[in-house]
Amino acid sequence: MRSDRLFSIVFFVLWFNTVAIAQDVLGYVNPFIGTSDYGATNPGALVPNGMMSVSPFNVMGSELNRFDKDSRWWSAPYDFTNRYFTGFSHVNLSGVGCPELASVLTVPTAGEVVPDYALYGSEYDSETASPGYYSLNLLRYGIKAEVTATRRTSIERYSFPEGRGNILVNLGEGLTNESGAYLRKVSDTEIEGMKLLGTFCYNPQKVFPIYFVIRVSKVPSETGFWKKQRPMKGIEADWTPDNGKYKLYTEYGRDLAGDDIGYYFSFDGLHEGETVEVQVGVSFVSTRNARENLEAEQSGFDFDSVRLAAEAAWREDLSKIKVYGGTREQKRVFYTALYHSLIHPNILNDVNGEYPLMESSGTGRVEDGRDRYTVFSLWDTYRNVHQLLTLVYPHRQLDMVRSMVSIAQEWGWMPRWELYGRETFTMEGDPAIPVITDTWLKGLRDFDVQAAYKAMRRSALAPGSENALRRDIDPYLEKGYIPLGVYTQDLAGDVSVSHALEYYVADHALSVLADSLGYKDDARMFRAHSSGYKNYYCPEYGTLRPLNPDGTFYGPFDPGQGADFETAPGFHEGSAWNYTFYVPHDIKGLAKLMGGADKFVEKLQMVFDTGLYDPANEPDIAYPYLFSYFKGEEWRTQELVAALVEEHYSDTPGGIPGNDDTGAMSAWAVFSMMGLYPDCPGSPYYVLTTPVFDRIEITLDPDFHGRDCLIIEKDPDTSGKYIDAVYSGGKRFKGFRISHEELLEGGHVVFGLTDEK
């Protein structure tokens, strides 16, 4: 009996410690980080890489406290500095720079039904957010509102004051510029419908629908539709968008379609604190699928069970990386960054496997046990998010690669910035190539690599008149560069150098993949293409410089022009300094152009010393790691990375340096704080730097990685901010750039530290 009792005590202690550690992981996530200063994240409820997300919507308020998504470049449903709630939006983008989605708004109110968003909103307090959960109190009505989510559905719980309570469903507002919708009453407690979405970044691409089913847990005393009225002929001069009247249809009980429509459920005789729950199921295929998603992922109305399941999903994912040491704020920054890195891409397929085909009205179906993904913001995420997924969540990364290959088979081209089956053509380049190459080279190979290669080769060689991804490829293939005046892309203007630099990175990755597949001639050809950046190097300024159609340098030229997102000919969202070192596949070759390693290092250090480095945008975020290519200069990487993490990442609403860009800025922090960074997209290497934490344990998948754990730690017998020695697998490692294979073979990286540079 004593041994049994001892076993029970030991088991309880181990169980308690395990649960405590796991719960601490959730406690280290602050969903409010990045919700201000253009971080464009939101604190709403979702599960890892889920289709459904539910966010508080506060970018439109009352007539006296009004926010308008178009009054500034507003791209998120929520901003921490705004304090006026106008609903919960369903299916949202996180960290993007353009408005879209964030629609199907549900709003609890009390008293009379008022369908005008400018009139029914409320100030709020007691705001709380954690992974999978969000709540607030609406001061105007005395209503507590809570939300949580599954992969494709959500549930909301509203605690009402005594009297009459309402739940409004607003289909007219949101971050999309589309206002059309369709509604059908199914029963007293259920409605279904469709809302149009589209025009991401204000581009006139095709619209696409989101389908929904909404249920309430209590039979209402009254229901009805509403519709915003349009001006009648002859009175247009007296009509403005803000004085349109909303008409309630209380007796109408069939279907309604049009712009700015909505629905309400009203409940009379509520007791103080009485709750009404609302379920929302969504699909991008059909209302039938939305209902099937809801029935499969929620069994009845049980808010607390859904919340617990959401928290368990986050606990499992976040616990795959355990950190020890560091401050509480550093852990909050780290785990919130990991949390943000696991929002996009998100699943597109329904529980039955169906999803909308790319650029088509058709429907596809994924194999059982697999997922189709969407929101491929690849210009951002090809630099680090997919490398993080490959290392820690390989099954998910494989499905994402399979999704990209399927997109190419359905549409003919790989995605660049794909959104729910539509290519938005936002930003530039051919970023799927480095992602797929990197995934293949790191051993994740259960996808149709030949189909992928065929599609990527096509975009790298097809003439511009036939090329969806590289419209300006003709001079690139003929001369090795793109001059000004060839192609102007939407609102970005003429950004020829930025386009070409992205192509060089993609073509280098394609050359490596071609070599791996045995296509030696292709490998040589694409490798030659990737060296074309040398055409842009201007010795006079020591930077890359745009070229005129006749091959001469553009002038007058100011390499600093383009800072703070001002327009600079040749460069997109940056200056020549933000792009000059963006040749990650040939740093030694670029250094040779600049006059050698010393000149390269001097010039790169000047970028940081004079404030030319932009931590808020992707082209130069790997700059701090480039010093480590040169022996004796690695200390600069270690010093700068630590300073940048400390300066630009914090446990505050403004704690991300600019748009999170679907997790790219957050993934930078995750890697940097762990002490390794994938500096060259499409190349299976990491640059080593001083980790923030004393010890990091990464759970690996032995099916892909050959081991179940990777440990990174500081030697406890040493101290300092610089690396004196690196040991991998117990052996001293030479250099500061380690391959993915070497990292996994060693399995245990130890940093000996010093205070000497």
Side-chain angles (χ1 to χ4, degrees):
M1 288 185 64
R2 287 185 177 179
S3 62
D4 289 343
R5 186 169 180 269
L6 179 61
F7 174 81
S8 297
I9 292 172
V10 172
F11 176 81
F12 175 79
V13 171
L14 291 174
W15 172 84
F16 180 82
N17 288 337
T18 300
V19 171
I21 292 171
Q23 289 176 334
D24 283 344
V25 174
L26 297 190
Y28 287 131
V29 176
N30 177 8
F32 292 108
I33 292 177
T35 59
S36 188
D37 293 337
Y38 297 93
T41 65
N42 70 73
L46 73 162
V47 297
N49 300 105
M51 176 190 296
M52 173 62 84
S53 61
V54 193
S55 172
F57 194 89
N58 70 4
V59 299
M60 294 182 181
S62 72
E63 293 295 347
L64 297 178
N65 185 14
R66 187 167 184 171
F67 306 98
D68 182 350
K69 70 180 178 65
D70 296 312
S71 65
R72 46 166 269 189
W73 198 258
W74 211 298
S75 59
Y78 173 95
D79 188 287
F80 187 81
T81 61
N82 296 346
R83 312 304 295 173
Y84 206 86
F85 174 86
T86 53
F88 285 114
S89 54
H90 297 78
V91 183
N92 303 274
L93 298 175
S94 177
V96 302
C98 291
E100 189 47 71
L101 280 71
S103 62
V104 189
L105 301 178
T106 53
V107 190
T109 68
E112 180 185 357
V113 174
V114 179
D116 189 339
Y117 76 88
L119 301 177
Y120 63 57
S122 171
E123 293 183 303
Y124 55 90
D125 66 4
S126 302
E127 200 176 15
T128 301
S130 58
Y133 176 78
Y134 174 89
S135 71
L136 48 63
N137 289 328
L138 301 181
L139 298 176
R140 178 176 180 177
Y141 303 112
I143 298 172
K144 181 178 180 179
E146 305 169 90
V147 295
T148 186
T150 70
R151 297 187 86 196
R152 302 170 181 86
T153 77
S154 66
I155 185 167
E156 301 149 31
R157 182 166 63 190
Y158 301 119
S159 301
F160 286 96
E162 183 178 357
R164 182 178 187 177
N166 313 295
I167 294 168
L168 313 182
V169 181
N170 187 334
L171 300 180
E173 303 302 332
L175 287 187
T176 182
N177 285 323
E178 298 297 328
S179 58
Y182 162 79
L183 262 175
R184 175 177 173 265
K185 179 179 179 180
V186 178
S187 70
D188 286 342
T189 58
E190 181 177 320
I191 60 174
E192 67 180 18
M194 178 275 295
K195 171 81 173 80
L196 284 178
L197 304 170
T199 64
F200 179 75
C201 264
Y202 303 102
N203 290 332
Q205 68 265 9
K206 304 168 188 175
V207 297
F208 58 95
I210 181 173
Y211 300 93
F212 60 86
V213 170
I214 299 176
R215 293 172 176 165
V216 295
S217 62
K218 179 180 175 65
V219 176
S221 53
E222 181 182 318
T223 62
F225 297 84
W226 78 71
K227 188 177 188 304
K228 188 173 184 179
Q229 304 302 294
R230 297 304 176 192
M232 297 177 64
K233 187 175 182 180
I235 66 167
E236 291 90 343
D238 299 325
W239 193 277
T240 68
D242 292 331
N243 67 15
K245 303 299 181 182
Y246 289 85
K247 181 178 179 179
L248 295 179
Y249 295 86
T250 59
E251 302 298 326
Y252 183 75
R254 301 190 66 175
D255 300 1
L256 189 68
D259 295 329
D260 298 307
I261 65 173
Y263 193 86
Y264 69 93
F265 302 89
S266 289
F267 308 90
D268 289 330
L270 294 173
H271 304 296
E272 181 70 32
E274 186 172 351
T275 62
V276 178
E277 294 183 347
V278 180
Q279 294 175 326
V280 182
V282 295
S283 165
F284 288 86
V285 173
S286 68
T287 53
R288 177 184 61 82
N289 281 14
R291 181 173 289 101
E292 186 176 349
N293 290 341
L294 184 54
E295 291 172 350
E297 295 187 356
Q298 293 194 50
S299 177
F301 288 87
D302 192 341
F303 183 94
D304 292 329
S305 292
V306 175
R307 177 183 177 181
L308 287 172
E311 290 174 343
W314 278 114
R315 184 174 291 114
E316 180 180 1
D317 266 15
L318 296 171
S319 296
K320 288 186 182 297
I321 304 179
K322 295 183 174 68
V323 299
Y324 302 88
T327 66
R328 176 173 173 78
E329 178 170 10
Q330 287 170 333
K331 289 176 181 175
R332 296 266 282 181
V333 168
F334 178 83
Y335 278 111
T336 305
L338 183 58
Y339 167 84
H340 283 144
S341 300
L342 294 172
I343 294 177
H344 296 303
N346 48 270
I347 60 168
L348 179 61
N349 60 287
D350 298 318
V351 293
N352 62 9
E354 292 183 344
Y355 65 88
L357 291 172
M358 181 69 176
E359 292 291 350
S360 167
S361 58
T363 300
R365 185 186 296 271
V366 292
E367 297 178 32
D368 290 344
R370 294 184 178 179
D371 285 314
R372 170 67 172 250
Y373 282 86
T374 185
V375 189
F376 283 111
S377 175
L378 290 171
W379 185 84
D380 306 299
T381 61
Y382 89 98
R383 304 163 198 271
N384 50 34
V385 172
H386 288 284
Q387 290 87 329
L388 178 62
L389 294 169
T390 296
L391 179 63
V392 189
Y393 312 91
H395 282 283
R396 224 167 290 175
Q397 173 64 11
L398 255 182
D399 270 350
M400 291 176 190
V401 169
R402 293 177 185 129
S403 297
M404 294 181 208
V405 177
S406 293
I407 285 172
Q409 291 172 321
E410 294 160 12
W411 179 50
W413 308 93
M414 285 290 175
R416 177 192 293 167
W417 212 124
E418 177 271 350
L419 186 69
Y420 294 91
R422 298 289 183 263
E423 176 54 58
T424 70
F425 297 105
T426 304
M427 303 310 291
E428 51 265 331
D430 208 341
I433 295 177
V435 171
I436 293 174
T437 298
D438 183 87
T439 305
W440 173 265
L441 294 177
K442 289 176 179 174
L444 278 62
R445 299 190 171 187
D446 187 14
F447 65 93
D448 191 343
V449 69
Q450 295 299 334
Y453 184 78
K454 179 181 179 182
M456 295 187 293
R457 189 181 191 277
R458 181 185 179 205
S459 67
L461 296 175
S465 59
E466 304 171 9
N467 202 316
L469 295 181
R470 306 193 192 190
R471 307 273 179 90
D472 46 6
I473 195 173
D474 295 344
Y476 176 90
L477 294 177
E478 179 184 349
K479 304 176 180 180
Y481 63 88
I482 304 169
L484 293 168
V486 176
Y487 177 63
T488 300
Q489 176 181 298
D490 53 67
L491 300 177
D494 193 330
V495 291
S496 57
V497 184
S498 296
H499 277 218
L501 288 174
E502 295 290 345
Y503 299 160
Y504 298 137
V505 173
D507 283 354
H508 174 264
L510 193 54
S511 75
V512 176
L513 181 60
D515 188 66
S516 175
L517 296 176
Y519 303 129
K520 303 301 181 182
D521 290 342
D522 278 5
R524 283 189 289 271
M525 174 179 62
F526 291 126
R527 193 175 302 116
H529 289 182
S530 73
S531 67
Y533 73 90
K534 297 173 183 178
N535 291 289
Y536 289 113
Y537 185 73
C538 175
E540 179 183 355
Y541 289 92
T543 68
L544 304 185
R545 182 176 177 181
L547 291 163
N548 294 314
D550 64 359
T552 60
F553 283 119
Y554 161 80
F557 175 61
D558 175 6
Q561 184 181 355
D564 300 322
F565 281 74
E566 66 173 310
T567 300
F571 300 101
H572 194 177
E573 296 183 358
S575 70
W577 289 114
N578 301 129
Y579 279 93
T580 286
F581 297 89
Y582 190 58
V583 189
H585 56 285
D586 192 17
I587 294 301
K588 294 295 182 69
L590 179 62
K592 186 176 180 180
L593 281 180
M594 292 181 170
D598 291 344
K599 291 288 186 181
F600 179 98
V601 169
E602 178 185 353
K603 196 170 296 183
L604 182 58
Q605 186 64 53
M606 180 273 298
V607 169
F608 291 95
D609 293 344
T610 58
L612 294 169
Y613 171 73
D614 181 6
N617 210 19
E618 278 72 13
D620 61 5
I621 59 174
Y623 277 17
Y625 291 95
L626 303 184
F627 294 104
S628 292
Y629 278 81
F630 304 98
K631 187 173 178 58
E633 305 294 347
E634 302 90 350
W635 65 269
R636 298 178 190 270
T637 290
Q638 297 148 29
E639 185 173 87
L640 276 168
V641 170
L644 291 169
V645 169
E646 179 71 20
E647 179 180 357
H648 297 290
Y649 291 84
S650 63
D651 184 19
T652 65
I656 297 175
N659 290 163
D660 195 36
D661 289 331
T662 64
M665 293 298 161
S666 288
W668 187 94
V670 171
F671 272 121
S672 296
M673 296 177 83
M674 291 196 300
L676 68 164
Y677 190 80
D679 63 299
C680 179
S683 180
Y685 285 85
Y686 308 91
V687 173
L688 300 174
T689 190
T690 310
V692 167
F693 304 103
D694 296 336
R695 180 181 173 94
I696 302 110
E697 296 176 0
I698 304 173
T699 299
L700 301 178
D701 188 326
D703 291 342
F704 295 101
H705 301 126
R707 60 172 60 248
D708 58 10
C709 186
L710 170 65
I711 297 173
I712 302 168
E713 64 179 336
K714 300 175 182 176
D715 183 345
D717 295 328
T718 65
S719 63
K721 65 179 180 179
Y722 302 109
I723 299 173
D724 182 52
V726 179
Y727 298 88
S728 178
K731 299 178 181 180
R732 183 151 186 167
F733 183 81
K734 295 181 180 179
F736 289 83
R737 201 161 181 262
I738 189 169
S739 73
H740 184 76
E741 183 179 6
E742 290 170 327
L743 183 70
L744 296 182
E745 282 183 354
H748 189 181
V749 178
V750 178
F751 293 98
L753 303 178
T754 179
D755 280 322
E756 296 183 8
K757 296 180 181 179

